[in-house]
């Protein structure tokens, strides 16, 4: 059996990651994008995230299985200790523990960066349909996230209106004078040594 592992993403992964993401755009309401990005646009997204935050992939010897990343929760400096998380797993590889593997690794990296709040913004149906189920919320609940807010019928796709819900998890302690948030490049050696998450 092939061993699934985690590593940092690079812009050279864009083609493989876009192949994972594209079906979510064209066939689901999990993402509210209408058009599949170009490879060049996806490369820019990866590069922009990696200026400060982790962008990781799950893989084995045969294939890339999924990816996850963190981005700014809010641009104001008071929100430096909070991030928004995103995750996509190859559709034919779901329900195999890959999502948990990715999120566990992502949280370890964010903790080393001194991030405290991790937030997920999730499309949510009033009634499940062929484009969107409640599975993502259930997945995040299983990992310790809790619901903190709902934006009702704020997304329109495939002729349907969908909600957005925010879910939150605390991975550190809130205290006076919190430690300064580190950029991803400042913790690459630490996460390689402690968690085996290497850069190419």
């Amino acid at each position: 059996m092939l061993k699934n592992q985690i590593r940092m993403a690079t812009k050279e992964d864009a083609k493989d990651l876009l192949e994972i993401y594209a079906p979510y755009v064209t066939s689901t309401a999990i993402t509210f994008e209408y058009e599949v990005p170009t490879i060049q646009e996806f490369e820019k997204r990866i590069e922009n995230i990696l200026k400060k935050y982790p962008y990781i992939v799950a893989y084995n010897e045969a294939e890339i299985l999924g990816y996850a990343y963190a981005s700014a929760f809010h641009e104001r400096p008071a929100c430096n200790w909070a991030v928004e998380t995103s995750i996509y797993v190859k559709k034919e590889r779901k329900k195999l523990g890959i999502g948990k593997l990715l999120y566990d690794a992502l949280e370890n990296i964010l903790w080393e960066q001194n991030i405290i709040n991790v937030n997920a913004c999730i499309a949510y149906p009033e009634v499940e349909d062929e484009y969107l189920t409640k599975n993502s919320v259930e997945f995040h609940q299983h990992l310790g996230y809790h619901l903190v807010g709902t934006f009702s019928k704020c997304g329109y796709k495939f002729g349907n209106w969908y909600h957005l819900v925010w879910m939150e998890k605390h991975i550190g302690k809130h205290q006076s004078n919190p430690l300064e948030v580190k950029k991803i490049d400042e913790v690459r050696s630490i996460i390689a040594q402690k968690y085996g998450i290497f850069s190419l």
Side-chain angles (χ1 to χ4, degrees):
M1 185 175 180
L2 295 175
K3 181 182 178 182
N4 296 335
Q5 301 180 73
I6 300 291
R7 64 167 172 78
M8 298 297 295
T10 71
K11 73 172 186 177
E12 285 72 29
D13 293 314
K15 181 178 181 295
D16 289 328
L17 302 190
L18 189 55
E19 288 177 359
I20 293 172
Y21 181 62
Y24 287 98
V25 177
T26 58
S27 304
T28 82
I30 289 172
T31 172
F32 282 177
E33 283 202 86
Y34 283 4
E35 302 292 334
V36 177
T38 64
I39 291 178
Q40 292 74 22
E41 171 60 26
F42 220 73
E43 288 176 349
K44 290 178 183 177
R45 294 183 187 187
I46 294 170
E47 288 182 310
N48 286 335
I49 291 295
L50 286 171
K51 290 176 181 177
K52 185 173 182 179
Y53 298 107
Y55 202 127
I56 58 175
V57 298
Y59 71 102
N60 57 36
E61 292 178 9
E63 61 183 330
I64 290 180
L65 306 165
Y67 64 95
Y69 60 89
S71 55
F73 173 69
H74 198 288
E75 293 181 358
R76 297 291 186 263
C79 293
N80 281 351
W81 293 267
V83 297
E84 180 180 349
T85 60
S86 299
I87 183 170
Y88 291 93
V89 174
K90 188 174 284 190
K91 294 187 81 172
E92 60 270 26
R93 296 290 184 265
K94 297 180 79 172
K95 308 287 187 180
L96 297 176
I98 297 165
K100 185 178 187 306
L101 180 69
L102 281 163
Y103 255 20
D104 285 349
L106 191 69
E107 288 178 14
N108 285 335
I109 298 169
L110 293 170
W111 187 83
E112 295 291 347
Q113 290 184 268
N114 297 322
I115 296 296
I116 300 171
N117 289 35
V118 288
N119 306 281
C121 187
I122 301 167
Y124 191 73
E126 194 162 295
V127 177
E128 291 185 325
D129 59 29
E130 63 184 300
Y131 303 110
L132 189 63
T133 69
K134 300 177 180 179
N135 177 256
S136 187
V137 165
E138 293 164 355
F139 166 75
H140 283 80
Q141 286 174 330
H142 181 70
L143 295 182
Y145 286 71
H146 64 277
L147 185 69
V148 293
T150 301
F151 295 92
S152 299
K153 297 181 179 179
C154 62
Y156 184 76
K157 192 172 181 181
F158 301 126
N160 301 303
W161 287 101
Y162 296 105
H163 307 322
L164 278 177
V165 300
W166 278 99
M167 301 188 75
E168 179 184 70
K169 181 179 181 179
H170 297 163
I171 60 172
K173 294 182 179 180
H174 295 87
Q175 55 191 14
S176 299
N177 301 313
L179 296 172
E180 183 178 350
V181 173
K182 299 177 182 179
K183 292 183 178 181
I184 186 63
D185 285 346
E186 297 178 77
V187 299
R188 282 182 186 260
S189 61
I190 294 173
I191 64 174
Q193 293 170 9
K194 290 181 68 173
Y195 309 109
I197 302 171
F198 296 98
S199 305
L200 289 180

